[in-house]
């Protein structure tokens, strides 16, 4: 007999995860109903371990019993299965550019952000790197409403969850995102006007508190 | 193996590929272009020197491969492969599977190969001592075991990860076979073993014999020679 999980859409996630938020935003943009399951990363559920045996990480989307892992792959899957409000443009070159910049966010933002708040060594380098990364992204945004142009798209979904981390980055890194990249801040505000984004993202101060708690838990010295 | 240039103009839209003969990442778009029957000009980058065209076309990463189609650059090997599949959708054979879940599986394993498996394989080359080789060797074997299971799931009893034909995941993994064979020769370790991963062994033979692959797979001996050059470089520079 098929369980609810086997019939519908289930998202295994953690409230603060920007990777999980990408999936929540995509599902909401598409109007897809889903069951949200909060995972405890210090005590992973049997379902998570079965659904993602290779990496044991969230987010995982389970659709009709099939698990899909890796946040950007999940977003692409969602975009392909539910074809309303497409997140990727139709032109092959534009699609390649969108994938490139989403991949750039994946490769650069989180890794650099972690170096910033872990604050172990090379703090100045981490700060410089983050400003460079944000400026490159701002350059790609330009004067567009969204990274996707007039429509909210794949790169917007990939990057906007990290806007809730700007406060954390700038506090630990001792710089101002607004000062360095005003267009990015304006873009993040526009995105927050969308229900999919405002419902998925958390208050930046909550994110900052979470990181402080995490540092204590990890035993990271100040 | 590609020697000089081949002029390419498809309805006035030139296709150029910036790359290097030894790079597995460069092999990926070459296989894809072959599968689509698209002619292109191969611009070989010299090892250790980045051309003006490369720096201009890929300012973010400054890396090969870069596909330049009608003057527009596309970067990152698997993004290029997907672009080729979409830009020439009407030509040749399809590269991405048609089912969204199959696509997700192909993409997942391609990411795994790039993020985890190949770094372990190249870790063997970077290892300065025999002891430090042990861990990456173990990881490569563990990865191959996972990929054998993935093959069983994806191939659905047929000859390739893509089923009847070479598709996305075949390209993602197959491009590393030259290097795998080179490292087998250098270490004396048989990574693709019929006793351990029989499905992958069969797949490897079919993949390497395929027309889209044959002309672009570098020779094992040449890679071994090149590896020695690389290893000298690793010894000279401190490990990252």
């Amino acid at each position: 007999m098929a369980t609810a999980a086997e019939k519908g859409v289930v998202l295994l996630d953690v409230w603060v995860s920007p990777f999980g938020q990408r999936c929540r935003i995509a599902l909401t943009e598409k109007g897809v109903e889903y069951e949200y399951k909060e995972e405890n990363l210090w005590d992973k559920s049997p379902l998570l371990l079965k659904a993602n045996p290779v990496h044991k990480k969230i987010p995982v989307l389970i659709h009709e019993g099939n698990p899909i892992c890796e946040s950007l792959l999940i977003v692409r899957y969602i975009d392909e299965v539910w074809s309303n409000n497409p997140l990727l443009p139709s032109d092959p070159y534009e699609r390649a550019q969108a994938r490139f910049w989403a991949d750039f966010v994946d490769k650069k933002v989180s890794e650099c952000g972690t170096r910033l708040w872990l604050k172990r060594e090379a703090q100045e380098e981490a700060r410089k790197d983050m400003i460079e990364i944000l400026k490159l992204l701002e350059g790609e945004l330009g004067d567009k409403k969204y990274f996707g142009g007039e429509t909210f798209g794949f790169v917007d979904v990939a990057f906007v969850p990290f806007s809730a981390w700007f406060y954390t980055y700038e506090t630990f890194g001792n710089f101002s995102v607004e000062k360095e990249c005003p267009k990015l801040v304006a873009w993040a505000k526009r995105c927050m006007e969308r229900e999919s984004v405002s419902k998925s993202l958390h208050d930046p101060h909550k994110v900052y508190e979470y990181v402080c708690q995490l540092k204590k838990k990890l035993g990271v010295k100040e | 193996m590609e020697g000089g240039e081949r002029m390419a103009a498809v309805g006035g839209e030139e296709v150029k590929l910036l790359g290097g003969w030894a790079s597995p990442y460069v092999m990926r778009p070459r296989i894809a272009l072959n599968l689509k029957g698209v002619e292109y000009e191969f611009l070989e980058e010299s090892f250790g020197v980045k051309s003006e065209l490369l720096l201009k076309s890929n300012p973010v990463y400054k890396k090969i491969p870069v596909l330049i189609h009608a003057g527009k650059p596309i970067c990152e090997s698997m993004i290029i492969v997907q672009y080729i599949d979409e830009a020439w959708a009407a030509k040749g054979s399809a590269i991405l599977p048609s089912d969204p879940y199959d696509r997700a599986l192909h993409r997942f394993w391609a990411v795994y190969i790039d993020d985890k498996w190949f770094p372990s394989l190249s870790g063997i080359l970077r290892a300065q001592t025999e002891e430090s080789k042990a861990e990456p060797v173990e990881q490569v074997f563990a990865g191959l075991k996972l990929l054998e299971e993935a093959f069983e799931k994806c191939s659905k009893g047929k000859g390739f990860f893509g089923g009847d034909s070479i598709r996305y995941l075949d390209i993602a993994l197959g491009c590393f076979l030259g290097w795998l064979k080179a490292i087998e020769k250098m270490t004396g370790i048989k990574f693709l073993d019929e006793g351990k991963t029989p499905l992958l062994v069969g797949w490897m033979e079919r993949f390497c014999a395929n027309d889209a692959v044959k002309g672009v797979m570098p020779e094992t001996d040449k890679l071994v020679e090149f590896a020695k050059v690389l290893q000298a470089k690793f010894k000279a520079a401190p490990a990252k």
Side-chain angles (χ1 to χ4, degrees):
Chain A
M1 201 165 67
T3 60
E6 281 164 26
K7 275 200 275 186
V9 184
V10 181
L11 183 68
L12 307 183
D13 200 350
V14 163
W15 68 276
V16 72
S17 165
F19 304 101
Q21 285 163 344
R22 290 168 165 176
C23 309
R24 287 176 242 166
I25 293 169
L27 287 164
T28 309
E29 286 284 324
K30 300 285 185 170
V32 176
E33 279 197 28
Y34 65 99
E35 188 191 337
Y36 177 90
K37 282 201 164 154
E38 180 79 20
E39 283 286 328
N40 176 359
L41 294 182
W42 306 96
D43 183 19
K44 294 177 184 182
S45 74
L47 179 60
L48 173 59
L49 297 175
K50 189 175 150 215
N52 192 356
V54 177
H55 302 298
K56 305 174 177 54
K57 281 184 178 178
I58 57 97
V60 181
L61 187 80
I62 307 177
H63 182 217
E64 294 169 346
N66 290 325
I68 300 106
C69 311
E70 301 291 313
S71 62
L72 288 182
L73 301 191
I74 295 172
V75 173
R76 291 177 71 183
Y77 176 84
I78 292 166
D79 201 34
E80 286 168 9
V81 172
W82 292 278
S83 50
N84 57 316
N85 302 344
L87 294 169
L88 276 173
S90 50
D91 172 70
Y93 182 71
E94 299 299 321
R95 289 162 76 87
Q97 293 307 102
R99 286 175 190 140
F100 175 87
W101 286 105
D103 179 64
F104 176 82
V105 172
D106 253 10
K107 279 185 165 71
K108 300 282 186 184
V109 177
S110 181
E111 187 272 335
C112 187
T114 305
R115 275 190 285 140
L116 261 180
W117 62 254
L118 265 180
K119 238 179 161 171
R120 281 186 175 138
E121 328 112 349
Q123 180 69 353
E124 180 57 30
E125 195 187 327
R127 182 183 154 275
K128 275 194 187 144
D129 287 346
M130 181 54 87
I131 294 172
E132 194 187 319
I133 289 164
L134 292 176
K135 281 192 188 269
L136 267 170
L137 285 162
E138 189 180 58
E140 174 55 23
L141 174 70
D143 292 314
K144 301 198 296 275
K145 185 176 178 188
Y146 298 115
F147 281 92
E150 279 304 303
T151 44
F152 185 75
F154 189 63
V155 182
D156 302 282
V157 174
F159 186 38
V160 79
F162 291 96
S163 67
W165 290 69
F166 286 171
Y167 177 71
T168 301
Y169 296 154
E170 61 193 3
T171 307
F172 280 106
N174 192 25
F175 69 97
S176 158
V177 179
E178 173 113 46
K179 191 173 158 220
E180 301 288 344
C181 301
K183 287 182 182 173
L184 279 188
V185 171
W187 160 81
K189 286 198 177 115
R190 282 194 293 277
C191 291
M192 282 295 281
E193 288 166 16
R194 301 181 79 83
E195 202 185 323
S196 63
V197 178
S198 60
K199 271 188 156 180
S200 305
L201 266 52
H202 289 279
D203 186 288
H205 289 89
K206 261 193 152 180
V207 172
Y208 178 74
E209 267 169 45
Y210 166 82
V211 172
C212 292
Q213 299 276 0
L214 183 62
K215 284 182 76 163
K216 279 194 191 134
K217 209 164 182 175
L218 293 171
V220 179
K221 294 193 181 106
E222 279 302 327
Chain B
M1 209 160 64
E2 279 302 311
E5 299 168 355
R6 282 195 299 171
M7 280 313 290
V10 181
E13 288 187 348
E14 274 193 326
V15 184
K16 298 183 198 209
L17 184 70
L18 303 183
W21 68 272
S23 164
Y25 301 103
V26 171
M27 248 187 92
R28 290 167 163 180
R30 298 186 81 180
I31 297 171
L33 289 164
N34 289 346
L35 285 170
K36 291 293 186 180
V38 172
E39 290 213 2
Y40 61 98
E41 189 183 347
F42 184 61
L43 297 170
E44 178 105 34
E45 288 281 316
S46 315
F47 179 64
V49 180
K50 292 178 202 255
S51 71
E52 275 300 307
L53 182 59
L54 174 61
L55 296 175
K56 192 179 128 200
S57 310
N58 191 356
V60 176
Y61 298 119
K62 306 173 176 56
K63 281 184 177 177
I64 49 159
V66 180
L67 185 79
I68 307 176
H69 184 204
K72 296 196 277 196
I74 301 105
C75 309
E76 296 295 294
S77 60
M78 292 319 283
I79 292 178
I80 298 172
V81 169
Q82 287 175 90
Y83 173 79
I84 291 167
D85 196 30
E86 290 171 2
W88 289 279
K91 277 194 98 174
S93 56
I95 296 172
L96 264 295
S98 46
D99 175 73
Y101 184 62
D102 288 338
R103 287 176 173 217
L105 277 180
H106 276 235
R107 288 170 182 151
F108 172 83
W109 287 109
V111 169
Y112 168 81
I113 287 160
D114 277 354
D115 286 357
K116 305 268 184 224
W117 188 76
F118 186 63
S120 302
L121 187 65
S122 57
I124 298 172
L125 277 184
R126 285 175 199 272
Q128 307 276 0
T129 63
E130 280 306 305
E131 286 103 11
S132 55
K133 271 191 193 151
E135 200 186 318
V137 166
E138 209 184 293
Q139 286 166 348
V140 170
F141 272 117
L144 286 171
K145 195 170 167 231
L146 285 177
L147 290 164
E148 173 88 355
E149 288 165 18
F151 185 86
E152 197 170 4
K153 186 169 185 183
C154 294
S155 66
K156 299 174 191 173
K158 303 268 171 82
F160 297 101
F161 283 96
D164 273 326
S165 57
I166 287 180
R167 284 188 188 251
Y168 190 82
L169 184 49
D170 298 280
I171 295 173
L173 181 60
C175 67
F176 293 115
L177 289 173
W179 276 103
L180 189 64
K181 288 182 192 174
I183 294 173
E184 281 185 335
K185 212 166 185 179
M186 291 167 75
T187 58
I189 302 171
K190 196 159 188 236
F191 286 106
L192 275 187
D193 187 331
E194 254 188 41
K196 295 193 176 116
T197 52
L199 297 177
L200 286 182
V201 170
W203 165 79
M204 172 180 68
E205 280 159 25
R206 282 187 292 275
F207 183 84
C208 293
N210 190 280
D211 283 334
V213 174
K214 269 191 311 211
V216 298
M217 178 74 80
E219 288 166 35
T220 310
D221 289 332
K222 286 201 167 163
L223 284 178
V224 170
E225 283 310 305
F226 186 65
K228 291 178 182 158
V229 172
L230 284 178
Q231 281 180 319
K233 248 193 126 187
F234 296 148
K235 274 209 172 99
K240 231 182 170 186

